[in-house]
Amino acid sequence: MEEIYQILETVKDPEIPVISIVELGIVREVRKQNGHVEIDITPTYSGCPALDVIPVLIREALASEGYDDVHVKNILSPAWTTDWISESGLQKLKEYGIAPPVEKTSDKSFLTDGPKKVPCPFCNSENTKLVSQFGSTPCKAAYQCIDCLEPFDYFKCH
Ligand SMILES: [Zn+2]
């Protein structure tokens, strides 16, 4: 089982190639019986074009290690939330130049307090502005830092 997780760690998110699907929290459960492997995944965002790619990448990675009886199942409920991203995953997002989600979705204060400041992943300045609700993909919003002028993507909470 540990071995399968190690293989899954090598499967990167097609949109954010520095972060693995395990770190993103997409992998919900792995079951192994004899040679048969079943993997439950919860896609990050229903509008993501990467959605259909991930099961293919998982099967390819496992096949290259000799697991050719692999079934990937999409679990749509409960829906994925950014709370499932691991600490190392959040760190990698930031290093990649994507501002990680500011608040946990379990923190309901963002519903009443309006949008929180999104710190710039490059200089940590909170002096940033929203450029577009949609960044390079529908899962991200485009921001720009007013201090260092760097544009960056913000991984939206959902
Ligand atoms: Zn900046």
Side-chain angles (χ1 to χ4, degrees), residues 120-125 127-128 145-150 152:
C120 169
F122 301 104
C123 69
N124 291 317
S125 164
N127 197 11
T128 59
C145 178
I146 294 162
D147 286 335
C148 74
L149 299 177
E150 285 290 337
F152 64 92

Side-chain angles (χ1 to χ4, degrees), residues 8-82:
L8 292 175
E9 282 281 0
T10 68
V11 179
K12 305 298 176 191
D13 182 77
E15 292 182 2
I16 314 162
V18 291
I19 186 169
S20 79
I21 57 169
V22 176
E23 288 169 314
L24 259 184
I26 292 175
V27 178
R28 302 314 304 157
E29 207 182 311
V30 175
R31 290 178 299 275
K32 194 176 150 193
Q33 206 169 25
N34 304 320
H36 182 72
V37 181
E38 257 183 26
I39 297 165
D40 291 347
I41 61 168
T42 298
T44 50
Y45 187 73
S46 54
C48 272
L51 207 68
D52 301 334
V53 179
I54 292 173
V56 176
L57 294 176
I58 289 175
R59 277 195 294 268
E60 276 176 4
L62 286 166
S64 70
E65 297 292 330
Y67 295 95
D68 37 28
D69 185 12
V70 176
H71 187 74
V72 181
K73 215 161 96 186
N74 276 321
I75 306 289
L76 299 176
S77 176
W80 180 87
T81 91
T82 47

Side-chain angles (χ1 to χ4, degrees), residues 9 12 16-20 23 85-98 100:
E9 282 281 0
K12 305 298 176 191
I16 314 162
V18 291
I19 186 169
S20 79
E23 288 169 314
I85 304 177
S86 71
E87 280 302 315
S88 65
L90 291 173
Q91 192 56 38
K92 285 181 185 171
L93 277 179
K94 194 177 168 194
E95 284 163 10
Y96 189 59
I98 297 174

